[in-house]
Amino acid sequence: ARNGDLYVVRKLENTANGIIEMTGTWGASLYMRGVVAILYDNMVVVENIINRATVKFTGTAGSAVRISGAVGNIGGNSVPVTNIKNYGDVYCSGVCSSGEVFVGGLSTETAGSVEHHIEDCHNYGDVTFDGTSSTSYACYVGGLISANTNGYAMLKNCSNSGSVYGSAKADYCYMGGMIARMSNRYKFDGCTSSGAVEYAGENDHNALIAGFI
């Protein structure tokens, strides 16, 4: 809905306990989400969203792969995100032939020029990547958010209790219970991660594994 210059997305629930699944070959980038695809419009409010379905990809993509349980990339000039819950497992066993792989329980990444406020958001599903990322590219596997590619974010009272597992082959692999990689400023207030983080894959350079970030 639109309220003046304010776009509002609220009270959306994927109640199906089934599977959102894609298989096959794509020549370009692949995006999969449980509920909302991407959050890049200016001045978007996103709140009260629940995903209960498993999100699963088994195939090949020609460029970047982004898979998450509830919502897509959190970007734009200002995106407050409140009370988002993911109960479904997020699973990627695909091959990315030319690009990075982002797998997150709640969202794939945050980006933008301002600070995003993310509050009371929780992931309960397991997050797994056991595919292959192309040479010279990385994979990012996070319990809540896979990566912060640019911009700023404030996380308050957020949590991850799902397991984070990687058995991928990639040049670089980043894994974290809350966020796999931060390339800019993040603030945390009252956030916890209790899920196990495990990596059993192959990489040509570094595998960076952390319980929280």
Side-chain angles (χ1 to χ4, degrees):
R2 182 175 180 178
N3 182 8
D5 292 329
L6 183 67
Y7 291 84
V8 178
V9 181
R10 60 161 58 100
K11 294 184 179 179
L12 297 177
E13 182 172 358
N14 182 357
T15 59
N17 290 316
I19 299 177
I20 300 171
E21 184 172 9
M22 295 182 70
T23 62
T25 301
W26 281 261
S29 298
L30 176 76
Y31 298 82
M32 288 186 68
R33 327 295 191 186
V35 183
V36 181
I38 193 166
L39 308 175
Y40 267 158
D41 289 331
N42 293 345
M43 300 301 291
V44 173
V45 173
V46 182
E47 60 186 20
N48 304 329
I49 294 175
I50 298 174
N51 175 58
R52 299 184 185 277
T54 294
V55 181
K56 182 178 182 180
F57 170 61
T58 53
T60 301
S63 189
V65 174
R66 289 174 168 85
I67 301 175
S68 54
V71 299
N73 300 9
I74 299 171
N77 288 339
S78 180
V79 182
V81 177
T82 307
N83 193 29
I84 314 297
K85 296 181 177 64
N86 176 61
Y87 294 92
D89 295 338
V90 181
Y91 180 78
C92 177
S93 64
V95 176
C96 181
S97 58
S98 179
E100 296 177 311
V101 175
F102 300 82
V103 186
L106 189 83
S107 169
T108 46
E109 60 189 296
T110 58
S113 59
V114 301
E115 182 174 279
H116 304 299
H117 292 266
I118 303 171
E119 186 171 351
D120 293 323
C121 294
H122 308 279
N123 175 61
Y124 304 97
D126 295 337
V127 181
T128 301
F129 175 48
D130 64 358
T132 301
S133 181
S134 56
T135 303
S136 301
Y137 289 95
C139 66
Y140 308 94
V141 188
L144 199 72
I145 300 169
S146 56
N148 160 239
T149 52
N150 60 65
Y152 312 97
M154 169 68 183
L155 272 71
K156 183 176 181 180
N157 299 331
C158 296
S159 70
N160 170 61
S161 57
S163 297
V164 179
Y165 178 76
S167 60
K169 178 175 175 56
D171 257 20
Y172 300 86
C173 192
Y174 301 84
M175 297 181 60
M178 185 68 70
I179 301 171
R181 183 188 181 189
M182 294 191 306
S183 59
N184 218 319
R185 188 180 71 213
Y186 256 70
K187 300 176 184 177
F188 297 93
D189 182 1
C191 298
T192 61
S193 179
S194 58
V197 181
E198 182 180 355
Y199 178 71
E202 303 175 33
N203 62 86
D204 296 329
H205 292 92
N206 296 319
L208 303 175
I209 318 300
F212 192 81
I213 302 171

